[in-house]
């Protein structure tokens, strides 16, 4: 054990690259986070089991979501929580219930568009396939074909002379990847192939949640390797930082003043309305059960929630050198300038002045620079799990993140220092 929480450096970014490669789906991301927490002494608890009030680190997994928390010695039932929140899903292409399709001698996989991806970024890119297979007994098996398997071929310029004047893609007709040749389309081919990859009998596979991913590995970019190019930075960068920060606080000799919590949800990219999304009851249920397991009642729950603060961490927009006019003229977040504080007075982000002070104090304590982000008034603003968490649970929430380019692309770009600067700020907030 260390006398104080770990202070992260570029080695954290190296580990992020490993995390991203191992996490091509929300289910893999949850498994990767759980593996790191287990090494820090956390243990999994089942939702269907009775919980006890013992101290230490615990976590719950539901599908593509994970909630983890650390109960310090002597924590009263009304002890407030300090929550770091993120989401495990990224925009991509997901396999339909009847995946086997094709035409004109090409074998294809039928996919549905998930979230709001930059469709053109998926063209002419070597793609793998990952997710989970559901077996007849209701159990799940992760599968990851992390090699070139699929490709969404773009139409040649000779057949679309206006392509460089504005590419228009039909989401149904133009985004179906190819994965082989053959005139006969055989129902069940894809699932039989994936079952074999996972060492399963295809007859035992009765359901699946599968998605494509770029097989190009994360890489440092630039003359001085000061940038990171990688898939799923939105938002596995935050999931990884939150996991690392919680593990660091839990393994410190100094017990935290609050109960630190990691809340990583699925389905943020399509509205968070699911049993594993931020709009669902999962977080509130886990927090309330933690209070009750330590002997608390309604009054303790109310006191704990009233003193709780959540940092909702998601990527934001770095100023784009080729499109600077799309950004607010006085707010230009830059790579390696430290984490960003995200503000929107119409509550697309949950930050207010009090939240700004909390975040500023954490960054100051960690010795981390930080930046402010606000959208150009003429540009619609995205949103996060932040406002949902604040409204659903009555918890003060602050929206933060890391500035990046190419958000929602199959491959995004950020500063190579920002992931560990974020993690250090999160440690200071949680401890």
């Amino acid at each position: 054990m260390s006398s104080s929480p770990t202070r992260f450096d570029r080695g954290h970014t190296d580990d992020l690259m490993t995390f991203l490669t191992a996490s091509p789906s929300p289910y893999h991301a949850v498994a990767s986070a759980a593996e790191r927490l287990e090494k820090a002494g956390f243990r999994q608890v089942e939702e269907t089991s009775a919980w006890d009030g013992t101290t230490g680190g615990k976590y719950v997994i539901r599908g593509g979501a994970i909630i983890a928390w650390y109960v310090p010695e002597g924590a009263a039932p009304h002890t407030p929580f300090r929550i770091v929140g993120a989401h495990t899903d990224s925009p991509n292409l997901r396999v339909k219930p009847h995946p086997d399709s094709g035409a004109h001698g090409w074998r294809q996989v039928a996919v549905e568009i998930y979230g709001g991806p930059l469709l053109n970024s998926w063209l002419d890119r070597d793609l793998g396939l990952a997710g989970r297979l559901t077996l007849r007994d209701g159990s799940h098996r992760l599968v990851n074909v992390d090699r070139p398997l699929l490709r969404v071929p773009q139409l040649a310029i000779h057949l679309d002379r206006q392509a460089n004047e504005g590419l228009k893609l039909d989401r149904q007709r133009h985004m179906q990847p190819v994965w082989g040749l053959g005139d006969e389309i055989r129902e069940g081919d894809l699932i039989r192939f994936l079952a074999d990859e996972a060492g399963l009998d295809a007859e035992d596979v009765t359901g699946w949640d599968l998605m494509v991913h770029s097989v190009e590995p994360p890489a440092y970019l630039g003359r001085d390797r000061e940038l990171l190019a990688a898939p799923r930075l939105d938002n596995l960068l935050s999931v990884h930082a939150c996991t690392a920060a919680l593990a660091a606080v839990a393994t410190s000799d100094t017990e935290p003043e609050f109960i630190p919590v990691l809340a990583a949800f699925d389905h943020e990219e399509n509205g968070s309305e699911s049993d594993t999304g931020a709009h669902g009851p999962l977080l509130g249920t886990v927090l309330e059960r933690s209070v009750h397991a330590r002997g608390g009642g309604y009054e303790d729950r109310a006191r704990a929630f009233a003193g709780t603060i959540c940092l909702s961490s998601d990527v934001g927009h770095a100023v784009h050198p080729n499109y600077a006019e799309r950004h607010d003229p006085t707010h230009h977040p830059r790579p390696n300038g430290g984490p960003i504080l995200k503000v929107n007075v119409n509550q697309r982000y949950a930050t207010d002045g009090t939240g700004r002070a909390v975040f500023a104090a954490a960054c100051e304590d960690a010795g981390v620079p930080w930046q402010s982000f606000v959208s150009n008034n003429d540009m619609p603003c995205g949103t996060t799990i932040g406002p949902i968490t604040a409204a659903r649970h009555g918890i003060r929430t602050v929206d933060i993140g890391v500035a990046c380019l190419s958000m929602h692309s199959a491959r995004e770009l950020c500063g190579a220092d920002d992931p560990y600067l974020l993690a250090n700020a999160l440690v200071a907030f949680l401890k």
Side-chain angles (χ1 to χ4, degrees):
M1 282 193 173
S2 58
S3 59
S4 61
T6 301
R7 183 167 181 83
F8 298 107
D9 54 22
R10 181 63 78 90
H12 174 89
T13 307
D14 294 338
D15 187 62
L16 169 61
M17 296 166 73
T18 300
F19 184 87
L20 292 169
T21 300
S23 307
S25 78
Y27 316 107
H28 288 83
V30 163
S32 297
E35 179 182 7
R36 284 163 168 74
L37 291 172
E38 289 276 353
K39 291 179 180 178
F42 284 69
R43 61 182 178 87
Q44 184 175 3
V45 294
E46 300 294 337
E47 291 187 82
T48 54
S49 300
W51 292 5
D52 58 45
T54 55
T55 58
K58 307 171 186 180
Y59 67 91
V60 165
I61 290 177
R62 182 190 292 181
I66 182 170
I67 310 293
W69 66 103
Y70 177 80
V71 181
E73 292 283 349
H78 59 268
T79 302
F81 301 93
R82 281 287 177 102
I83 305 169
V84 287
H87 66 87
T88 60
D89 60 319
S90 301
N92 56 19
L93 313 178
R94 302 206 171 186
V95 175
K96 289 183 175 180
H98 294 287
D100 299 292
S101 66
H104 307 291
W106 293 94
R107 296 173 65 191
Q108 295 176 274
V109 175
V111 297
E112 191 173 4
I113 310 300
Y114 178 82
L118 281 169
L119 294 178
N120 63 294
S121 71
W122 291 91
L123 301 178
D124 298 334
R125 189 181 291 274
D126 294 339
L127 304 171
L129 198 57
R132 66 178 182 179
L133 301 174
T134 304
L135 306 185
R136 197 173 300 279
D137 63 3
S139 62
H140 302 289
R141 182 72 63 85
L142 296 184
V143 62
N144 180 14
V145 183
D146 196 28
R147 62 180 186 272
L149 180 68
L150 307 164
R151 188 178 180 91
V152 183
Q154 187 172 186
L155 187 63
I157 188 71
H158 312 79
L159 303 178
D160 184 7
R161 296 291 182 177
Q162 282 73 50
N164 289 328
E165 298 173 20
L167 179 64
K168 294 183 179 180
L169 295 170
D170 184 289
R171 296 162 71 91
Q172 177 63 33
R173 293 186 295 121
H174 298 155
M175 297 306 298
Q176 307 306 308
V178 300
W179 75 306
L181 301 173
D183 290 312
E184 182 183 358
I185 306 303
R186 298 183 298 272
E187 184 72 22
D189 262 7
L190 181 67
I191 300 306
R192 281 190 291 271
F193 166 76
L194 292 173
D196 185 63
E197 288 283 315
L200 299 170
D201 186 336
E203 296 302 316
D204 290 334
V205 178
T206 57
W208 51 85
D209 301 280
L210 301 166
M211 57 209 72
V212 306
H213 65 275
S214 171
V215 299
E216 185 180 1
Y220 287 116
L221 185 75
R223 183 192 65 182
D224 299 318
R225 293 163 55 87
E226 57 193 340
L227 299 171
L228 173 64
R232 299 178 296 281
L233 292 176
D234 182 9
N235 186 33
L236 294 190
L237 184 157
S238 294
V239 174
H240 177 257
C242 292
T243 303
L246 178 60
V249 170
T251 53
S252 169
D253 281 343
T254 304
E255 292 282 55
E257 180 181 353
F258 307 94
I259 295 177
V261 179
L262 158 68
F265 301 100
D266 200 354
H267 301 133
E268 190 273 347
E269 296 294 355
N270 60 10
S272 295
E273 294 190 351
S274 71
D275 69 324
T276 54
H279 228 307
L282 181 58
L283 175 61
T285 299
V286 169
L287 299 184
E288 289 175 6
R289 290 186 69 176
S290 175
V291 170
H292 291 306
R294 285 175 282 119
Y298 179 82
E299 185 70 12
D300 296 293
R301 181 265 187 208
R303 292 175 66 187
F305 276 42
T308 293
I309 304 175
C310 173
L311 292 188
S312 163
S313 182
D314 205 344
V315 296
H317 302 293
V319 61
H320 198 301
N322 300 335
Y323 301 90
E325 73 281 359
R326 304 295 182 95
H327 300 266
D328 183 85
T330 60
H331 295 78
H332 283 175
R334 296 185 177 186
N336 293 332
I340 56 174
L341 178 73
K342 302 161 79 170
V343 177
N344 180 266
V345 295
N346 293 304
Q347 291 301 294
R348 302 292 285 172
Y349 303 132
T351 305
D352 63 8
T354 302
R356 175 188 173 96
V358 170
F359 179 65
C363 290
E364 181 177 356
D365 185 28
V368 168
W370 60 279
Q371 312 174 78
S372 292
F373 171 83
V374 65
S375 291
N376 185 308
N377 284 323
D378 288 329
M379 295 289 161
C381 179
T383 190
T384 69
I385 65 167
I388 295 171
T389 302
R392 179 168 181 82
H393 306 293
I395 290 173
R396 176 172 292 127
T397 304
V398 188
D399 273 296
I400 65 167
V402 161
C404 74
L405 293 183
S406 306
M407 190 189 300
H408 286 202
S409 171
R411 194 168 178 85
E412 297 158 325
L413 184 70
C414 75
D417 296 341
D418 284 327
Y420 71 79
L421 293 175
L422 171 64
N424 286 329
L426 295 179
V427 168
F429 168 74
L430 289 176
K431 69 180 184 180

